Amino acid sequence: MTRLPLAVLHKFPANLIQFLIIAALLCSQIAVAKDAFEARRLPDVRLLIDVSADSVSQDEALLLRQWLEGFLHMLPADARAGVWRFADTVDEVLPLSASVTRNWRARQLVNSGILSDLPAALTAATVAPEAADPMFETTIIVLTDSGVNVSASPISNAHAARTILTKLVPAMREAGIIVHTVALGDEADDFLLRSLAHGTNGLDFQAKSVADLPSVMLQLLDITTPASAVVVHEGGFTLGESDRELHMLLTHLPGDNAVLVDTAQTVLLQSSAPSETVWHAGNSLDVVTWPNPAPGRWQWRGVADSDSVIRVSEGVGILAGRLPSVMPAGSQQSWQLELPDAGRISAAHGFALTVEVTDPQGDQKLIALAAPGTGVAGERYIVELPVFDLPGRYRVLARLNNLDITRQTVTWVEVLPTGLNQSITTRSRDASQQNFQRPVLSLAALGLVALVILAWVLRQRRLRKLELWHRRFQDPD
């Protein structure tokens, strides 16, 4: 009786094992290759505005309403937004997913009651019908100048505040809902708002008055809907051939006009802008959408550079991965950057790409990822950021220079003293439920390897038994 079948059976499982192990390891690597760019979800921004009787004045409400309108205007087309006002009761001003052009401006934002029922407002925003959609990343922004004031009883108010921190915050954190808070004035409950924000991996902001609101809203825009902004230098900026549809917030002195000067040196006001342009002129803020702008050098006049922003819906830009909004001191993070479309970059001249990290003391660290003229469009860059060792607010900025075109994207990170808040996580905001595919697939691949090895061991034992019985059959002695 020939032994060839046994020899083949001995060899075949080993080859199969090698193949399956390699395949499993490849699957694991593919799973790990999924990153923040693929897992990014669409923005879902929900604004909660305190309109209690002790809140902002009529003039301040006008400025607040202008900036709320401007903030919503700058959200990308695939985002959704909702606005609630709260005092004695909670009212839906802008229904979630509705168009921002709805006539919500007619709704008053002042003097709607004497109380401030923040727990009810948070509950209303989190139980909205579309709250659980995994395609969207839900962010709640709370603007208030008071604390929790649900009744005249201090005990009831204390209980309501405790409910926020012990019940609502854990539930929102578990659901992946991030809450950013804005304390207006000196009467706001800073501790409660800070705890609410940090407990959900959000940021807390303080605005001594509504006049400080523009800078706060621009930071919130950077965090909730990160995108490339056109860099303006000395009142001028350059647009490229592929830039499409400008979205602008133009801040100016009350009563003055914001002015744009195009590439043909034509002076443009709201009254003289092209018919396809949407230009809402406010007392101190203009909101502008300009489709198909001419490439070349533009200027603006009468516009405050620090509190104004220009975004391009399509064109030269930087795609940036998310960073955690909150992390403990001593943390270190890597940041992924990419220029997704090579056709938008002047390949003949290349580009320069740098990262700038500004710590709470104002000290800056510059990291050069691509020297001038050497950058390659379509390439992905991963930069190891410096250790976040100082508690406070950091600004992390990536800047792209290509010929005369300059773009930048900014995000903000709050670093807490070690041990201050053990409930925060350094997991990236992009680590949604989809991101758990990576460890799950990796574990599945390892499990497959283990099962294959176990099957091979069991088969070897079976083959040895068969061979032993075969020998006994051939040699009965």
Side-chain angles (χ1 to χ4, degrees):
M1 181 178 294
T2 178
R3 284 187 164 182
L4 182 59
L6 286 176
V8 172
L9 287 175
H10 275 290
K11 185 177 181 181
F12 177 72
N15 293 338
L16 179 62
I17 293 297
Q18 294 175 1
F19 172 78
L20 291 177
I21 290 177
I22 293 174
L25 292 176
L26 286 175
C27 290
S28 176
Q29 293 301 317
I30 291 174
V32 172
K34 290 182 175 290
D35 53 34
F37 297 113
E38 297 171 355
R40 174 172 291 174
R41 294 179 290 167
L42 302 176
D44 175 351
V45 183
R46 305 171 187 201
L47 295 161
L48 305 182
I49 315 300
D50 187 346
V51 292
S52 57
D54 294 330
S55 189
V56 296
S57 66
Q58 291 285 352
D59 290 339
E60 290 176 326
L62 175 61
L63 179 61
L64 174 59
R65 186 162 59 247
Q66 288 180 355
W67 271 96
L68 290 178
E69 178 185 352
F71 178 87
L72 295 172
H73 170 81
M74 297 298 288
L75 296 180
D78 53 5
R80 67 186 185 189
V83 179
W84 287 260
R85 65 178 185 181
F86 66 96
D88 296 2
T89 59
V90 180
D91 299 317
E92 188 178 52
V93 179
L94 176 67
L96 190 63
S97 298
S99 171
V100 178
T101 60
R102 293 174 64 96
N103 190 26
W104 68 276
R105 303 177 193 87
R107 304 288 295 273
Q108 292 295 318
L109 293 180
V110 294
N111 299 336
S112 292
I114 61 174
L115 303 178
S116 180
D117 197 345
L118 179 57
L122 290 169
T123 301
T126 55
V127 300
E130 298 85 354
D133 192 335
M135 291 182 59
F136 288 86
E137 179 182 62
T138 300
T139 302
I140 295 176
I141 299 174
V142 178
L143 291 94
T144 179
D145 69 342
S146 62
V148 175
N149 184 20
V150 298
S151 75
S153 169
I155 296 177
S156 298
N157 293 332
H159 177 73
R162 186 163 53 250
T163 298
I164 291 177
L165 299 181
T166 60
K167 294 184 179 180
L168 294 182
V169 165
M172 289 187 290
R173 185 173 62 241
E174 181 67 22
I177 297 174
I178 297 171
V179 181
H180 302 299
T181 60
V182 181
L184 295 172
D186 298 325
E187 301 299 323
D189 189 337
D190 292 341
F191 175 79
L192 174 65
L193 296 177
R194 187 180 303 112
S195 300
L196 170 59
H198 293 175
T200 58
N201 296 312
L203 299 182
D204 66 298
F205 297 86
Q206 274 108 25
K208 294 301 181 182
S209 68
V210 177
D212 298 326
L213 191 62
S215 62
V216 171
M217 297 304 292
L218 290 180
Q219 289 186 56
L220 287 169
L221 188 65
D222 291 333
I223 297 167
T224 56
T225 58
S228 292
V230 177
V231 176
V232 180
H233 180 64
E234 296 182 349
F237 56 95
T238 302
L239 301 179
E241 295 283 349
S242 61
D243 289 335
R244 298 290 181 271
E245 196 170 73
L246 299 181
H247 297 273
M248 296 181 276
L249 296 180
L250 308 179
T251 304
H252 52 83
L253 293 176
D256 285 356
N257 293 321
V259 178
L260 293 176
V261 181
D262 66 11
T263 57
Q265 297 301 304
T266 303
V267 177
L268 300 165
L269 301 168
Q270 180 196 31
S271 58
S272 58
S275 58
E276 66 271 16
T277 301
V278 179
W279 192 322
H280 297 294
N283 185 49
S284 59
L285 176 68
D286 287 12
V287 180
V288 184
T289 298
W290 197 293
N292 300 316
R297 188 70 174 173
W298 287 64
Q299 291 179 301
W300 64 25
R301 297 174 184 171
V303 177
D305 293 5
S306 59
D307 291 332
S308 301
V309 64
I310 302 175
R311 286 184 170 187
V312 182
S313 61
E314 180 182 344
V316 177
I318 307 169
L319 179 61
R322 298 274 194 166
L323 289 175
S325 294
V326 183
M327 63 180 71
S331 300
Q332 187 170 22
Q333 294 286 329
S334 60
W335 199 24
Q336 298 188 60
L337 303 171
E338 183 179 6
L339 280 72
D341 189 347
R344 299 171 182 169
I345 300 296
S346 176
H349 296 84
F351 61 87
L353 183 62
T354 56
V355 170
E356 180 183 284
V357 180
T358 305
D359 68 20
Q361 297 179 349
D363 296 330
Q364 296 179 345
K365 294 182 180 179
L366 188 65
I367 304 171
L369 299 182
T374 64
V376 179
E379 185 172 345
R380 183 168 297 180
Y381 298 85
I382 300 178
V383 55
E384 288 295 327
L385 299 176
V387 176
F388 295 89
D389 50 0
L390 294 177
R393 186 74 46 87
Y394 284 74
R395 186 185 73 160
V396 184
L397 177 149
R399 181 176 287 115
L400 163 73
N401 290 286
N402 178 237
L403 296 179
D404 295 328
I405 298 175
T406 306
R407 301 287 187 270
Q408 68 182 28
T409 184
V410 180
T411 191
W412 303 83
V413 175
E414 184 76 18
V415 175
L416 303 182
T418 303
L420 178 63
N421 189 341
Q422 299 297 330
S423 65
I424 67 170
T425 174
T426 58
R427 179 166 57 92
S428 170
R429 292 179 59 192
D430 280 330
S432 60
Q433 295 178 354
Q434 299 174 6
N435 269 15
F436 289 109
Q437 293 176 355
R438 284 185 284 178
V440 169
L441 290 176
S442 299
L443 289 175
L446 294 176
L448 176 61
V449 172
L451 288 175
V452 171
I453 293 175
L454 178 60
W456 178 77
V457 171
L458 294 176
R459 183 150 185 100
Q460 290 296 99
R461 292 179 60 184
R462 180 172 176 271
L463 290 176
R464 285 197 294 269
K465 289 182 180 180
L466 289 174
E467 186 175 5
L468 179 61
W469 281 103
H470 183 70
R471 289 177 180 175
R472 291 180 178 177
F473 179 77
Q474 286 187 332
D475 187 8
D477 296 333

